[in-house]
């Protein structure tokens, strides 16, 4: 049978499909959201001294509002951490940018993140590096992060539900490690899984005392640590008692 589809039909169908896709919030965004994000990078991140162009570009590209559960997604570009459920928080945008800059990410890097949470820090890293592996101890959050990262189109991030104290042996060693929960000490397995010449950024301290953002550098057997600034992160929790 001869097709009854006229060129007009094809045109209208194509237009309807693109209108549908554009109305999907995960593909499109409003001008206001984009503007808020550009403003965030300028006033919160560049203004505080983050200057690595690849980090600034990643912060301009990663849509933070996609990683925050509604209705707080409306506050995505504000200068503060936000709740993401299960007693956890997404870090302030500046802290995400600073931690990313401090590990000096490069295009060919394989990076381990401990504390996937919303998935946003992993998205920022995935904008820059080759592969991101991220571990999350709260199961529903590991699912949320995985789902959001996929919907946002990141194909170079792998999420695992586990206690990140043990790192991710299977994919080690890593060029860089980013820990986003405050640990009482630097987990030795993470130091072991860092490449020679690699860098790790980790908040160290307890829930009630001042925590320090610590930069760890590994050069052979030589491990150096440098305190960067006082911070406040959610605690690094453990699945078992070791
Ligand atoms: N990087 C996240 C920040 C989330 S807050 C983001 O961009 O949104 C820190 C996360 O670390 C929380 O989700 C918490 O559940 C997780 N966490 C705490 N201890 C952990 C552990 N031992 N292993 C893996 N994840 C852990």
């Amino acid at each position: 049978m001869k097709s009854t589809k006229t060129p007009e039909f094809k045109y209208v169908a194509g237009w309807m499909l693109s209108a549908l896709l554009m109305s999907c919030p995960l593909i499109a965004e409003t001008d206001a959201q984009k503007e808020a994000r550009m403003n965030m990078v300028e006033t919160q991140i560049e203004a505080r001294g983050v200057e690595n162009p690849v980090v600034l570009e990643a912060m301009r590209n990663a849509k933070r509002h996609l990683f925050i559960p509604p209705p707080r997604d409306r506050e995505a570009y504000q200068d503060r951490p936000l709740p993401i459920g299960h007693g956890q928080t997404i870090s302030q945008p500046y802290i995400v940018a600073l931690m990313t800059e401090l590990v000096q990410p490069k295009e060919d890097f394989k990076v381990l993140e401990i504390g996937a949470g919303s998935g946003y820090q992993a998205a920022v890293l995935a904008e820059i590096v080759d592969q991101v592996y991220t571990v999350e101890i709260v199961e529903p959050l590991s699912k949320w992060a995985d789902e959001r990262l996929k919907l946002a189109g990141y194909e170079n991030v792998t999420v695992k539900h586990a206690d990140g104290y043990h790192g991710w042996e299977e994919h080690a060693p890593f060029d860089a490690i980013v820990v986003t929960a405050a640990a009482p000490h630097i987990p030795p397995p993470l130091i072991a899984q860092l490449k020679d010449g690699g860098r790790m950024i980790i908040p160290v301290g307890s829930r009630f005392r001042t925590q320090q953002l610590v930069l760890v550098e590994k050069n052979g057997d030589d491990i150096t640590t440098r305190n960067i600034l006082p911070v406040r992160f959610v605690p690094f929790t453990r699945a078992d008692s070791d």
Side-chain angles (χ1 to χ4, degrees), residues 95-198:
I95 295 294
V96 174
L98 179 67
M99 291 173 80
T100 308
E101 180 168 73
L102 285 165
V103 296
Q104 297 181 0
K106 309 264 178 323
E107 212 180 328
D108 60 349
F109 268 26
K110 181 162 62 164
V111 179
L112 174 69
E113 181 196 20
I114 306 300
S118 68
Y120 175 65
Q121 169 77 73
V124 171
L125 288 164
E127 288 280 347
I128 304 168
V129 306
D130 184 43
Q131 287 299 324
V132 179
Y133 294 92
T134 181
V135 183
E136 171 55 55
I137 201 165
V138 176
E139 192 167 20
L141 283 176
S142 70
K143 287 192 175 136
W144 167 271
D146 189 40
E147 197 183 289
R148 290 282 136 169
L149 285 157
K150 285 203 174 86
L151 286 168
Y154 294 98
E155 289 172 357
N156 55 343
V157 185
T158 316
V159 184
K160 175 167 93 163
H161 167 229
D163 179 352
Y165 187 89
H166 307 287
W168 199 331
E169 187 67 55
E170 197 188 334
H171 298 289
F174 300 96
D175 298 285
I177 300 179
V178 175
V179 182
T180 67
H185 62 264
I186 303 167
L190 299 186
I191 294 179
Q193 291 176 23
L194 198 56
K195 258 187 206 172
D196 194 13

Side-chain angles (χ1 to χ4, degrees), residues 10-69:
K10 276 192 209 148
Y11 175 79
V12 171
W15 179 84
M16 278 169 69
L17 185 66
S18 56
L20 194 72
L21 290 175
M22 292 307 286
S23 69
C24 172
L26 289 167
I27 292 168
E29 61 175 343
T30 64
D31 288 347
Q33 280 166 326
K34 187 160 188 191
E35 208 181 303
R37 191 166 60 253
M38 299 307 135
N39 193 44
M40 168 192 90
V41 174
E42 198 184 319
T43 63
Q44 302 171 31
I45 294 166
E46 283 187 279
R48 292 192 178 113
V50 172
E51 43 187 35
N52 182 336
V54 296
V55 175
L56 295 172
E57 193 55 20
M59 296 299 293
R60 284 190 198 101
N61 290 339
K63 294 173 178 157
R64 185 172 159 95
H65 63 270
L66 297 184
F67 295 90
I68 301 171

Side-chain angles (χ1 to χ4, degrees), residues 214-239:
V214 177
L215 180 66
V216 181
E217 287 179 78
K218 178 173 175 176
N219 290 298
D221 290 337
D222 188 29
I223 309 295
T224 56
T225 60
R226 181 154 61 96
N227 287 359
I228 303 294
L229 87 170
V231 284
R232 184 187 275 257
F233 276 76
V234 295
F236 193 102
T237 53
R238 299 299 318 281

